[in-house]
Amino acid sequence: MPFHPIRRRLAGALVLLPALCAFGLPAVAQDKYPSKPLTLIVPFGPGSATDAVARVVAEGLARELGQPVVPTNKPGANGMIAIQTAKASPSDGYNLLFLANGVVNEQVIKKTAFDIRKDLVPVARVVQAPLGVFASNQVPANSMKELVEYARKNPGKLNFASAGVGSIAHLTTERIKLATKTDMVHVPYPAGTAPMTTALIAGDVGLFVNEMGSMKGFVADKRVKVLATLADQRNPIYPDAPSAPETGVPELRNFSANFFFGIFVEPATPPDRVELLNRAINKVLTEPAVRDRLVGLGYNPASIGGMTPVQFRGMVNDELSRIEAVARDAKIQVQ
């Protein structure tokens, strides 16, 4: 019987099918995520508090994902160089941005071309910790109540340090000023935390609101004093430092100010990769060894990980609304 043309074409297709499947297999494999190393972009240099936490997370995330996660330091311009690096990267989930709310705050206040609400997708909160109020030994106050009384009696005489206009230390101290109706002078130190701490020890500035873990050594050797933890509970690193409700200052009874780190990606990143990263990060942050290292850096165990992308976005949006209100009420002028 003659071989029908249709049958001939069908037979040819069947012959080619295994070859087509063989060629198709690599394409399917390439869709697996992650299938290559990831980059974790860090906005400050090696040795900074940001870098220390980022490296703890990167190590754990590499184990969980089965791919290297490489911290890449991009310091400068209070985080904008890191942000611009992330924005210029492909939106494929392989370039993660490690940000603190202090970086976000300053960019919002300065009204840069960067808008976190549109330009980045929150993936996961890493850690959160209350800020503390630290004072020079030359300030004639050993408690927040005494400090507020002194500031009210001596308007403009007390000054405070920060990393610049819109930084977390600046905005938090402005909130304290607004709440207590005191007048204190802002002294910016854009070069970083080390010069501010040096100035505080020398008495060149009277106050410095900062992340509490990084000040532990200076308080322990009595080079500076801690006046309060800006939260509703005491910080285990400073068991003798009163919480906000315990300061004896009625205006600060419900006052809280937090420092947090989180991971962000580009807005076009596939949602399933955002969810996968969130689950992986949160799983890493439940590991006892990881939690112990973060607690050792001064973070509260109850505020490590544990947020979905939606919850973290809500937290970020709340922070943005708060700082915008402070900037408006304090009439902060960007130089």
Side-chain angles (χ1 to χ4, degrees):
M1 183 177 68
F3 199 49
H4 195 279
I6 295 177
R7 291 176 181 170
R8 185 181 296 113
R9 288 196 293 270
L10 179 60
L14 291 172
V15 170
L16 289 173
L17 184 59
L20 291 172
C21 290
F23 281 114
L25 285 175
V28 172
Q30 288 175 3
D31 288 337
K32 181 179 181 298
Y33 172 80
S35 58
K36 61 182 181 180
L38 294 83
T39 298
L40 183 60
I41 302 168
V42 183
F44 297 102
S48 64
T50 307
D51 182 72
V53 177
R55 290 180 184 276
V56 172
V57 175
E59 290 173 14
L61 196 54
R63 292 192 302 271
E64 180 64 25
L65 296 177
Q67 291 289 344
V69 178
V70 184
T72 302
N73 299 94
K74 293 290 182 179
N78 196 46
M80 270 310 297
I81 292 176
I83 291 168
Q84 289 166 352
T85 301
K87 288 179 66 176
S89 303
S91 299
D92 55 7
Y94 285 94
N95 295 280
L96 316 179
L97 180 60
F98 195 84
L99 282 186
N101 54 326
V103 173
V104 173
N105 292 356
E106 187 159 342
Q107 305 315 318
V108 171
I109 296 301
K110 290 186 175 179
K111 301 187 187 304
T112 63
F114 162 71
D115 182 351
I116 191 172
R117 291 183 175 98
K118 298 177 182 177
D119 295 339
L120 291 175
V121 171
V123 176
R125 177 187 71 173
V126 174
V127 290
Q128 181 177 338
L131 296 170
V133 180
F134 300 89
S136 166
N137 287 329
Q138 297 184 32
V139 171
N142 293 310
S143 68
M144 281 301 295
K145 185 175 182 179
E146 291 177 0
L147 180 81
V148 170
E149 291 172 351
Y150 176 79
R152 285 172 175 166
K153 292 176 182 177
N154 299 274
K157 188 173 181 179
L158 194 61
N159 57 14
F160 67 95
S162 91
V165 175
S167 65
I168 191 166
H170 178 211
L171 293 169
T172 303
T173 312
E174 292 290 350
R175 286 179 59 203
I176 293 172
K177 287 171 55 181
L178 288 168
T180 58
K181 296 181 173 57
T182 50
D183 178 15
M184 294 182 279
V185 179
H186 179 212
V187 182
Y189 285 81
T193 301
M196 289 183 277
T197 305
T198 300
L200 191 70
I201 293 169
D204 295 333
V205 292
L207 286 183
F208 180 26
V209 170
N210 195 20
E211 183 266 320
M212 302 190 80
S214 63
M215 300 296 288
K216 182 179 179 180
F218 303 107
V219 174
D221 62 16
K222 301 187 185 304
R223 284 186 282 174
V224 301
K225 49 194 174 185
V226 56
L227 302 185
T229 298
L230 296 176
D232 59 0
Q233 293 182 343
R234 296 191 180 199
N235 189 305
I237 295 180
Y238 305 97
D240 296 330
S243 64
E246 296 172 324
T247 59
V249 182
E251 297 88 347
L252 300 180
R253 186 178 297 112
N254 298 313
F255 194 100
S256 67
N258 291 299
F259 181 83
F260 66 79
F261 290 120
I263 291 178
F264 298 76
V265 292
E266 283 288 282
T269 303
D272 60 330
R273 296 188 176 185
V274 173
E275 292 291 340
L276 186 151
L277 285 168
N278 175 268
R279 291 194 299 271
I281 293 165
N282 280 327
K283 184 175 180 181
V284 166
L285 294 173
T286 64
E287 296 176 5
V290 172
R291 294 178 74 83
D292 287 347
R293 290 177 69 183
L294 293 175
V295 170
L297 291 171
Y299 295 97
N300 188 327
S303 299
I304 297 175
M307 281 190 173
T308 66
V310 171
Q311 290 170 329
F312 185 41
R313 179 183 291 278
M315 177 180 171
V316 171
N317 288 341
D318 287 346
E319 173 75 0
L320 295 177
S321 298
R322 184 180 301 111
I323 64 172
E324 287 166 345
V326 172
R328 180 188 64 246
D329 296 343
K331 298 180 173 58
I332 294 174
Q333 298 296 317
V334 178
Q335 302 299 320

